[in-house]
C-alpha cells in the first residue's frame, strides 16, 4: 500500500512540475522568423517588401526605420562587412519588458559581427544592431 501511495505522489509531483514549467518556444520561434528576414537580406538573398517586414516592427521602429532606410540597408552592410556567409544562433535572453535574440555571423571578408535583435513583450521588433567583433583583441 505504501508503494502505491509513493508512486501516486511521485506521479502527481511530476505532473505538477510539468504544468508549472514555462515555455518560451513559441515566442522564440516567431522572433527568429523576423530575425531570419534580416539575415537573408545580409546574405544577399531576395528579401520581402518593406510592407511585409514592417508588420513585425514596433510603432517606434516604424517611425525610425522607413522604407528608404530598408532599401539601403543591404547595400550598407555589404559595403561595410561584405556578404554574410555563416550565421549561428547565439543567445535568447528574456528580460522584464524585452527579449533579446543574438546571432554570431561571419562575412566573406572574414569579418565577424553579432546581430542583435530586441523585441518587446508583443514580439514586435524594437531595435536591430550589428556589433562588430574585434578578433585581434580576442586572440591576444
Amino acid at each position: 500500500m505504501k508503494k502505491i501511495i509513493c508512486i501516486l505522489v511521485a506521479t502527481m509531483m511530476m505532473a505538477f512540475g510539468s504544468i508549472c514549467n514555462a515555455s518560451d518556444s513559441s515566442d522564440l520561434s516567431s522572433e527568429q522568423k523576423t530575425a531570419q528576414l534580416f539575415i537573408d537580406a545580409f546574405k544577399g538573398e531576395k528579401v520581402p517588401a518593406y510592407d511585409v517586414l514592417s508588420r513585425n516592427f514596433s510603432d517606434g521602429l516604424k517611425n525610425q526605420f522607413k522604407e528608404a532606410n530598408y532599401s539601403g540597408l543591404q547595400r550598407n552592410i555589404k559595403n561595410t562587412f561584405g556578404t554574410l556567409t555563416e550565421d549561428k544562433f547565439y543567445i535568447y535572453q528574456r528580460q522584464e519588458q524585452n527579449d533579446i535574440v543574438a546571432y554570431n555571423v561571419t562575412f566573406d571578408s572574414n569579418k565577424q559581427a553579432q546581430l542583435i535583435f530586441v523585441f518587446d513583450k508583443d514580439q514586435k521588433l524594437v531595435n536591430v544592431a550589428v556589433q562588430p567583433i574585434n578578433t585581434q583583441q580576442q586572440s591576444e
Side-chain angles (χ1 to χ4, degrees), residues 71-87:
S71 63
L73 178 66
Q74 190 176 18
R75 184 176 52 255
N76 291 340
I77 292 295
K78 186 171 179 89
N79 291 340
T80 305
F81 294 99
T83 303
L84 193 145
T85 56
E86 182 180 14
D87 62 283

Side-chain angles (χ1 to χ4, degrees), residues 40-94:
D40 290 345
F42 300 153
K43 285 183 177 179
E45 296 177 11
K46 188 175 189 305
V47 292
Y50 177 79
D51 296 345
V52 174
L53 184 66
S54 65
R55 290 179 195 156
N56 301 317
F57 288 0
S58 68
D59 292 335
L61 187 61
K62 282 181 186 177
N63 293 334
Q64 293 175 348
F65 193 71
K66 302 283 185 190
E67 190 167 359
N69 301 76
Y70 176 64
S71 63
L73 178 66
Q74 190 176 18
R75 184 176 52 255
N76 291 340
I77 292 295
K78 186 171 179 89
N79 291 340
T80 305
F81 294 99
T83 303
L84 193 145
T85 56
E86 182 180 14
D87 62 283
K88 292 184 181 176
F89 175 72
Y90 178 63
I91 193 168
Y92 172 68
Q93 185 177 22
R94 174 153 276 184

